[in-house]
Amino acid sequence: MVEFIAEYWLQLLFGAAVTALSLAYRALLKRIRQQDAIRMGIVALLRDRMIGLYNHYEEKGFCPIYARDNLLQMYQQYHNLGGNGTITQLVEEIQKLPTEKREESEC
């Protein structure tokens, strides 16, 4: 009887354990791929938004303080999520803009 248990049931239990671990591993890989896709999507959205802000305020010739602060917050999270340095120059250029619209003098 012990021989029967040792020969067949242990093989069955080991096979079931390996199958369960294999399924768990596949589920984990799928979740990791999904999280990477979500992270990359957020990075792309932040990049697009920051480029849009740059174009908008560069055209206006000034960038209000609230918009600058918003851009810097997005930039920080962009880098925290693994975004590269391509946006750095845009952020530096926006920081050089005045915070208020300059009044043109009438002559």
Side-chain angles (χ1 to χ4, degrees):
M1 179 72 168
V2 173
E3 206 174 285
F4 176 77
I5 293 173
E7 189 173 339
Y8 296 107
W9 284 100
L10 289 178
Q11 289 177 7
L12 179 67
L13 290 175
F14 183 73
V18 169
T19 301
L21 288 173
S22 175
L23 292 173
Y25 179 71
R26 286 183 185 190
L28 179 64
L29 284 180
K30 182 179 179 181
R31 174 163 253 166
I32 288 171
R33 277 190 238 114
Q34 287 175 338
Q35 288 178 345
D36 284 344
I38 290 169
R39 181 185 55 79
M40 290 170 47
I42 291 171
V43 167
L45 289 171
L46 285 169
R47 183 185 314 112
D48 178 65
R49 182 69 178 128
M50 288 186 287
I51 290 170
L53 286 173
Y54 170 79
N55 290 334
H56 176 74
Y57 288 112
E58 184 69 23
E59 185 178 303
K60 285 180 111 176
F62 73 99
C63 181
I65 293 172
Y66 69 87
R68 186 177 293 178
D69 183 53
N70 187 31
L71 179 71
L72 292 174
Q73 291 294 322
M74 283 191 279
Y75 179 70
Q76 181 180 6
Q77 299 314 315
Y78 173 78
H79 275 286
N80 289 342
L81 288 169
N84 59 24
T86 58
I87 300 298
T88 302
Q89 185 178 0
L90 299 180
V91 172
E92 290 172 356
E93 291 296 318
I94 282 192
Q95 288 179 322
K96 292 177 186 176
L97 291 175
T99 58
E100 295 178 358
K101 186 175 183 178
R102 294 186 182 162
E103 297 294 326
E104 295 182 22
S105 59
E106 297 181 21
C107 294

